[in-house]
Each structure stands twice: as structure tokens, then as C-alpha cells.
């Protein structure tokens, strides 16, 4: 029998880990510079937590049961878990709270037989407790800073406003609203044409679908619609956000009010960051504002505003691999310590520990015996180990450079 991980899962070998850590370490440095602190939440959650009040479909969750028949699941994303943690474990903290994570998530797919991935890695941030324009701008500029730290070019931001889009959908009959929403989300004009809508409503659906492109043009189109006061205020806030972003310099932006995300808890801005590749556009991350999500878990139902994003490590890996920016081999050891005979074991272990206690990171291997001197030297050459320390029983040592 050949033992393999289950369909949709995969093992990460040392080089895979080195490349994944290369990405995560650079992102973590950016998060630290912006004042964000790491949070780690449970991989396993109750189903009602993961569904976020219905905003996340049960069908996306890989489900489990414990001995008490309690419905559990593996997290399909991090925001709901962090929202639950914030209101149950961080009561009384001063806001805003700036949090970041590096973690795995699990998403059920229909193509089990095709071995489609079900486990993914993400790194992202959540900015909790601030509902203003500046918080939205901070998160988007932080996102841009992350991409710059990874030296990713040819990316652009697709920016929507979930609150505006949802309010524009309210004019459609309740029994057809989800179908209109899905057609717009998939840019499916044929589906809109086939829905039993009046010509006026069909035109309205097509107009929403076309609210995508240059920010000036899109804002002009949406402003021409019959907006009520809350809708107009949201559009004005979006205009201010776009102006702030574009004033920061070269911020590639497409405004898209037809943007509808899979996870339906966004109440304000929602966005995707996309990179053009030879194989087509690749989504590197997404996020948005969710001002009612924390209230789902708060004992008194208190809403605490939040905004954040997740970057997809596998997709970043694919882009960076094309540029050959990732490590191409695991880091070599700096030293190989060899006991010259059986009586030198104690001295060899002591010398290896002395090297490891260096102020700077030093990778030190012990030779485990069973090889002659030439085989030891060949091993060091094969592994690109810089120096060999030959240790005698009295502790005296001769150093050999392996060039």
C-alpha cells in the first residue's frame, strides 16, 4: 500500500517550507512596522462560529463531530475566528486593535476526485475598532506595502463597496434577488437576460454589472442613479477613499461596484488584489470592511467595526516562482563538527554547543559516525557546509574550510 495524504492535502518538504517562510517573514516584517501584533486562533471551531450568522455557507466548511455530537468544523477563513476571539477573550481592551496572522485554512471543494486543494495558507491583518475612512486607507496602503516588500509588480486593486452594491439590489423582488446577485457576481449577462424581470429591472441589473472601470467614470455612473441619502453618503465616502489612495502616487486601481465576495459579511469596502500573468489574472488576496460581524459573537450584540485582508501564500508563491525570487535550496549548515575518536564525543558535543551559542544564528551539525575522513569531506561538499571542525578528546580543535 502507498501511504499518501488525503485528497486535497499536501506535505511541505524542507525547500517548500523555506520558500513559504521567505514569503511569510517579509510580510511579518511589514506587519510589525505598521504596529500589528500576531494572533493565533483555533483551527477547530463550532459550526455556528464559522458560518458567521449565515455569511459563510455551511457547504464550504469541512465538518467534524466530537464525542458529544457537537457540530465542529475546520476554519475556511480567519476573520470569523478572530472576531469571535476579540469579543470573548479581549473584552476591555483599548481600540483600535491591530492584529495579524499566518495560518492554514480549509475549504471544502466539489472536485474530490480531481484532488483539488482543500488546505491553504494565508497571511493577513484585521484592524478592529475603527470605522472611519482612515482605517480603510491604512489597510489598503498596508496591502500595497506588503506587495512592494515581496517585489511583486503588475498588480492592481479591484475596489468595490458592498454596502452600496447590496442597497442597489434591494429594488429586485426578494425571490429573484439572489439570482440577480449571483449573475452580477459572475458577470453573467445571459443569466440576467433569462431572469423574469421587467425591462426596467433588467436594465438596472445590467447597469450594476457595468459599474466597473476607471474610478471617475464609475463614480459618475453610480451618482446618476436614483440614490437615497445613505447610498449617496456611502458613494461620497468611496470617492474620498479613492482620492486619498490616488494621491499617494502610483496606486493601480479599478473601481468595481459589481464586486461581490464569496463570504457575505462585508458591509463597506470590499476588494481583491490581482496580478496579471502569462496564464491570466491571478487573485493574490482579498478583504474588506465588516462592521456587523463582531456583533454576531458579542454577548450583548454590540457591533465593533472591523476591516482587513488575507493574502494567499500559494498564489504569491506562484508569482514569485516566475520571477525566481524564492530560495532555490534550503539554507546550508555553517559547521560540521567531527569527533576524531570515541573518546572525543564529550568534547565534540561541547564545541558544537559553543558554536550554537553564538550571537548570530549559526547552523551546526554533528557528524554521527560511520564514515572515514574523505566521506565526511564529501558529505560537507554535497551539503555546502562551510567549515569542518575536527575535535580531539582533549578539546583541541582543527578547523578545515570546505571550499
Amino acid at each position: 500500500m502507498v501511504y499518501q495524504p488525503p485528497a486535497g492535502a499536501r506535505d511541505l518538504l524542507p525547500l517548500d517550507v523555506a520558500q513559504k517562510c521567505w514569503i511569510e517573514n517579509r510580510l511579518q516584517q511589514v506587519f510589525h512596522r505598521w504596529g500589528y501584533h500576531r494572533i493565533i486562533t483555533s483551527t477547530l471551531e463550532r459550526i455556528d462560529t464559522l458560518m458567521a450568522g449565515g455569511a459563510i455557507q455551511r457547504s464550504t466548511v469541512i465538518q467534524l463531530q466530537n464525542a458529544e455530537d457537537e457540530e465542529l468544523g475546520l476554519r475556511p477563513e480567519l476573520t470569523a475566528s478572530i472576531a469571535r476571539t476579540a469579543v470573548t477573550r479581549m473584552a476591555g481592551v483599548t481600540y483600535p486593535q491591530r492584529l495579524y496572522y499566518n495560518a492554514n485554512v480549509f475549504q471544502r471543494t466539489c472536485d474530490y476526485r480531481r484532488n483539488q486543494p482543500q488546505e491553504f495558507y494565508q497571511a493577513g491583518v484585521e484592524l478592529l475598532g475603527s470605522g472611519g475612512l482612515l482605517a480603510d486607507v491604512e489597510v489598503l496602503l498596508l496591502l500595497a506595502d506588503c506587495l512592494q516588500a515581496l517585489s511583486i509588480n503588475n498588480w492592481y486593486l479591484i475596489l468595490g463597496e458592498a454596502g452600496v452594491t447590496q442597497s442597489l439590489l434591494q429594488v429586485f423582488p426578494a425571490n429573484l434577488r439572489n439570482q440577480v446577485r449571483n449573475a452580477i457576481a459572475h458577470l453573467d449577462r445571459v443569466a440576467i437576460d433569462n431572469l423574469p424581470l421587467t425591462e426596467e429591472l433588467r436594465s438596472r441589473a445590467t447597469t450594476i454589472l457595468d459599474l466597473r472601470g476607471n474610478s471617475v467614470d464609475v463614480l459618475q455612473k453610480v451618482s446618476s442613479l436614483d440614490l437615497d441619502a445613505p447610498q449617496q453618503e456611502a458613494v461620497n465616502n468611496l470617492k474620498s477613499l479613492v482620492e486619498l489612495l490616488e494621491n499617494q502616487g502610483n496606486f493601480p486601481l479599478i473601481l468595481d461596484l459589481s464586486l461581490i465576495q464569496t463570504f457575505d459579511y462585508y458591509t463597506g469596502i470590499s476588494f481583491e488584489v490581482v496580478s496579471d500573468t502569462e496564464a491570466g489574472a491571478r487573485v493574490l488576496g482579498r478583504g474588506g470592511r465588516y462592521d456587523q460581524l463582531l456583533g454576531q459573537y458579542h454577548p450583548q450584540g454590540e457591533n465593533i467595526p472591523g476591516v482587513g485582508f488575507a493574502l494567499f501564500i500559494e498564489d504569491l508563491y506562484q508569482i514569485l516562482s516566475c520571477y525566481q525570487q524564492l530560495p532555490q535550496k534550503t539554507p546550508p549548515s555553517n559547521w560540521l563538527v567531527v569527533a576524531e575518536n570515541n573518546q572525543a564525543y564529550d568534547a565534540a558535543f561541547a564545541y558544537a554547543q559553543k558554536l550554537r551559542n553564538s550571537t548570530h544564528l549559526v547552523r551546526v551539525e554533528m557528524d554521527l559516525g560511520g564514515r572515514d575522513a574523505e566521506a565526511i569531506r564529501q558529505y560537507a561538499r554535497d551539503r555546502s557546509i562551510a567549515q569542518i571542525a575536527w575535535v580531539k578528546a582533549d578539546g583541541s580543535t582543527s578547523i578545515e574550510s570546505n571550499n
Side-chain angles (χ1 to χ4, degrees):
M1 177 181 290
V2 177
Y3 292 96
Q4 295 179 339
R10 67 188 181 97
D11 302 313
L12 298 181
L13 302 181
L15 181 57
D16 300 322
V17 174
Q19 294 173 335
K20 175 175 175 287
C21 288
W22 187 94
I23 296 171
E24 291 177 341
N25 289 341
R26 277 154 181 75
L27 294 176
Q28 183 171 276
Q29 290 170 15
V30 178
F31 299 154
H32 286 173
R33 286 198 295 267
W34 284 71
Y36 284 70
H37 300 274
R38 187 171 185 181
I39 186 171
I40 298 176
T41 62
S42 174
T43 305
L44 193 64
E45 292 272 13
R46 293 183 176 86
I47 286 291
D48 56 353
T49 296
L50 296 178
M51 291 181 64
I56 298 174
Q57 297 299 313
R58 181 187 286 262
S59 60
T60 67
V61 179
I62 297 176
Q63 299 177 47
L64 307 167
Q65 282 187 317
N66 61 12
E68 289 75 35
D69 288 335
E70 185 178 27
E71 289 189 306
L72 306 174
L74 301 176
R75 61 191 178 204
E77 51 90 63
L78 269 294
T79 303
S81 294
I82 292 174
R84 186 266 306 160
T85 303
V87 298
T88 60
R89 302 289 307 281
M90 299 173 66
V93 299
T94 301
Y95 286 106
Q97 285 288 312
R98 292 176 168 88
L99 307 172
Y100 81 88
Y101 57 85
N102 294 325
N104 55 348
V105 298
F106 304 84
Q107 295 175 11
R108 181 187 294 277
T109 64
C110 298
D111 288 331
Y112 297 109
R113 287 168 294 183
R114 297 183 183 181
N115 202 30
Q116 290 296 304
Q118 296 185 80
E119 181 179 8
F120 307 88
Y121 292 91
Q122 296 182 356
V125 304
E126 310 294 349
L127 175 52
L128 306 180
S130 181
L133 172 66
L134 292 180
D136 291 347
V137 174
E138 172 174 318
V139 165
L140 291 172
L141 292 179
L142 170 54
L143 175 61
D145 204 3
C146 288
L147 298 172
Q148 183 177 357
L150 295 174
S151 299
I152 291 180
N153 301 314
N154 301 320
W155 67 270
Y156 54 92
L157 187 78
I158 300 176
L159 177 64
E161 220 293 350
V164 171
T165 304
Q166 289 167 5
S167 67
L168 292 175
L169 291 171
Q170 294 305 307
V171 300
F172 295 94
N175 63 320
L176 296 175
R177 198 171 297 148
N178 279 339
Q179 295 178 63
V180 174
R181 182 182 184 275
N182 289 335
I184 291 172
H186 295 93
L187 304 178
D188 190 345
R189 296 177 187 275
V190 173
I192 291 175
D193 290 339
N194 289 330
L195 289 174
L197 297 170
T198 66
E199 285 306 312
E200 181 182 359
L201 288 178
R202 197 181 317 281
S203 175
R204 176 85 164 197
T206 303
T207 298
I208 296 173
L209 187 147
D210 288 335
L211 290 175
R212 174 187 174 97
N214 177 276
S215 59
V216 174
D217 295 339
V218 173
L219 289 168
Q220 185 176 5
K221 286 180 184 178
V222 72
S223 296
S224 68
L225 299 174
D226 185 18
L227 303 179
D228 59 25
Q231 289 172 330
Q232 189 61 59
E233 182 182 3
V235 171
N236 291 340
N237 289 337
L238 182 60
K239 181 179 180 181
S240 297
L241 172 64
V242 169
E243 288 175 352
L244 273 172
L245 291 175
E246 293 180 341
N247 287 341
Q248 294 299 311
N250 185 21
F251 200 100
L253 176 66
I254 294 174
L255 197 56
D256 184 3
L257 296 184
S258 69
L259 179 64
I260 297 175
Q261 300 286 16
T262 304
F263 299 136
D264 192 23
Y265 46 58
Y266 294 117
T267 58
I269 63 165
S270 64
F271 53 86
E272 294 181 344
V273 59
V274 178
S275 178
D276 285 329
T277 69
E278 292 182 358
R282 181 182 290 271
V283 178
L284 304 182
R286 58 172 56 98
R289 172 163 290 284
Y290 46 90
D291 287 351
Q292 297 172 9
L293 180 60
L294 274 71
Q296 297 285 338
Y297 311 109
H298 196 282
Q300 286 77 45
E302 178 185 344
N303 283 324
I304 300 170
V307 61
F309 65 78
L311 288 168
F312 308 145
I313 301 300
E314 282 88 357
D315 294 287
L316 293 171
Y317 167 83
Q318 293 297 329
I319 296 293
L320 293 168
S321 293
C322 294
Y323 301 152
Q324 296 186 331
Q325 290 180 261
L326 295 172
Q328 299 303 305
K329 58 183 180 180
T330 56
S333 295
N334 304 98
W335 289 87
L336 177 62
V337 176
V338 183
E340 292 200 355
N341 52 48
N342 295 354
Q343 290 72 39
Y345 288 166
D346 284 345
F349 276 112
Y351 188 78
Q353 192 58 40
K354 177 183 176 181
L355 293 172
R356 295 186 185 109
N357 290 338
S358 169
T359 304
H360 303 290
L361 172 62
V362 178
R363 293 181 170 86
V364 182
E365 293 186 28
M366 279 286 297
D367 177 68
L368 302 179
R371 290 182 289 209
D372 60 25
E374 186 50 42
I376 290 171
R377 293 186 177 96
Q378 185 60 51
Y379 172 82
R381 286 192 292 269
D382 292 343
R383 299 292 294 270
S384 300
I385 299 174
Q387 298 184 94
I388 304 174
W390 304 89
V391 183
K392 296 180 169 58
D394 62 5
S396 59
T397 305
S398 60
I399 308 301
E400 181 179 329
S401 295
N402 183 37
N403 296 323

